[in-house]
Amino acid sequence: MAHCLVALFLVLARSSVAAYSIESVKVGHFLSVGGTSSDSGADVHLRSSLRKTERQPELLSEGSCHDAVPGEACYDDTIWAKGHAINTRPQWYPGLTNESSFADFQAHLHYCYWSRCPMPCASTRQQKCEMVDRFWSSDNCQDVTEGNCYNNVKWAVDTGIKIKPEWYPGLTEQSSFRQVQFLLFKFGDQGCPEPCCHDALPGERCHEDVAWAMSHGINIPEVSHAYPQSLTNQSGFAEFQAYLHACYPDRCPKPCASTEVMALQHVGGMDCPDTHKF
């Protein structure tokens, strides 16, 4: 069994996916190749540690990296970003300038807008998405279980929303404890920290992934079987986000709303896709 380090992030059920080879390794995950003495025809698995077996299809690898060439959409996007957008929308390209290499821009599009470009084979300094607010961070979150914030949230859940709904805009009597905590956190009073959940917002990559799954993935026969039976094209945004979090936690945080998907996961009634079928 051979092991080398790679970083690879692909999401289930996109119509075009970037591909990687042993030669295009980036630090981040372990690549295990078995059943062959070469990288051709190998049984390839990516793991976040040598002892862990991933469930996520996005950690499977095949093929090779690719430097965009004229005639490809990625090439046009990269040229536009490097020659025009970096001057008019520099906030879209943190850490890059118009002197940065083509590969740096292509890698940025790969990490921050993964469906736009494959990872380039050429050397690049870009190893992750540096855009602010592109990904939600759980570094400072806390689900309260006692204290002043907990008491205020519990009162709101049990009583406040019923008798003073105007105090809790956007919430209903069906709102979860975490949703109430998040609202009090946004208000900046009651001493409430941000809960360890997050409803994806426009501009975040999770939001794009959920929107794609809702409008396309669930309707494509070749991949629709990957979604649990509880999900349909009539299911809400939170249900799809909960599914992506359950099976691809690196891609989406847990939504604050209570969902049927999370309930199924809690009782062991939901399976993530078999990676060997993709």
Side-chain angles (χ1 to χ4, degrees):
M1 181 77 70
H3 298 289
C4 58
L5 289 173
V6 297
L8 180 56
F9 302 98
L10 300 177
V11 161
L12 166 73
R14 289 280 188 167
S15 57
S16 67
V17 295
Y20 295 76
S21 70
I22 291 175
E23 290 77 13
S24 64
V25 297
K26 303 292 180 184
V27 174
H29 282 76
F30 290 90
L31 174 65
S32 298
V33 183
T36 180
S37 59
S38 72
D39 64 334
S40 177
D43 181 15
V44 179
H45 301 278
L46 288 181
R47 298 178 171 90
S48 54
S49 73
L50 289 174
R51 292 187 176 92
K52 180 177 180 182
T53 300
E54 306 293 352
R55 293 185 301 170
Q56 300 95 313
E58 74 271 21
L59 295 183
L60 292 178
S61 169
E62 62 179 352
S64 63
C65 57
H66 176 69
D67 294 322
V69 296
E72 296 175 347
C74 173
Y75 180 88
D76 294 338
D77 289 344
T78 305
I79 288 293
W80 183 81
K82 179 174 169 58
H84 175 72
I86 187 63
N87 299 312
T88 59
R89 295 289 190 274
Q91 69 273 19
W92 291 356
Y93 308 96
L96 298 178
T97 70
N98 51 16
E99 299 298 321
S100 298
S101 69
F102 183 95
D104 285 340
F105 275 91
Q106 181 179 332
H108 173 79
L109 294 179
H110 168 73
Y111 284 118
C112 294
Y113 302 93
W114 74 272
S115 63
R116 305 301 293 267
C117 281
M119 187 66 186
C121 300
S123 176
T124 172
R125 296 175 299 171
Q126 300 297 112
Q127 303 300 319
K128 62 180 182 178
C129 180
E130 301 287 354
M131 291 178 69
V132 176
D133 296 330
R134 188 68 170 142
F135 301 91
W136 176 75
S137 172
S138 61
D139 290 347
N140 298 311
C141 74
Q142 179 187 354
D143 292 327
V144 295
T145 57
E146 59 183 8
N148 187 58
C149 175
Y150 174 84
N151 293 333
N152 285 313
V153 174
K154 190 173 188 311
W155 182 84
V157 171
D158 294 341
T159 305
I161 295 177
K162 298 175 185 175
I163 65 173
K164 292 289 185 181
E166 67 274 13
W167 289 3
Y168 306 96
L171 300 184
T172 70
E173 293 181 31
Q174 284 70 49
S175 296
S176 69
F177 189 97
R178 283 174 164 173
Q179 285 178 299
V180 177
Q181 181 183 333
F182 180 74
L183 183 66
L184 297 185
F185 162 74
K186 281 206 310 180
F187 285 168
D189 57 9
Q190 315 297 338
C192 283
E194 184 174 14
C196 293
C197 63
H198 176 71
D199 296 324
L201 300 171
E204 296 173 348
R205 198 157 71 170
C206 173
H207 191 279
E208 294 176 3
D209 293 340
V210 173
W212 185 89
M214 292 179 69
S215 61
H216 299 288
I218 195 70
N219 296 310
I220 299 175
E222 292 81 4
V223 297
S224 61
H225 67 276
Y227 299 93
Q229 291 184 353
S230 62
L231 282 182
T232 71
N233 52 19
Q234 301 300 312
S235 299
F237 190 96
E239 293 288 347
F240 276 90
Q241 182 179 335
Y243 165 72
L244 292 181
H245 169 75
C247 294
Y248 316 98
D250 290 337
R251 305 295 305 198
C252 276
K254 180 187 297 184
C256 294
S258 298
T259 65
E260 183 178 349
V261 166
M262 286 190 289
L264 286 172
Q265 184 187 22
H266 181 71
V267 299
M270 190 195 77
D271 295 323
C272 290
D274 182 351
T275 60
H276 295 288
K277 293 181 181 179
F278 294 88

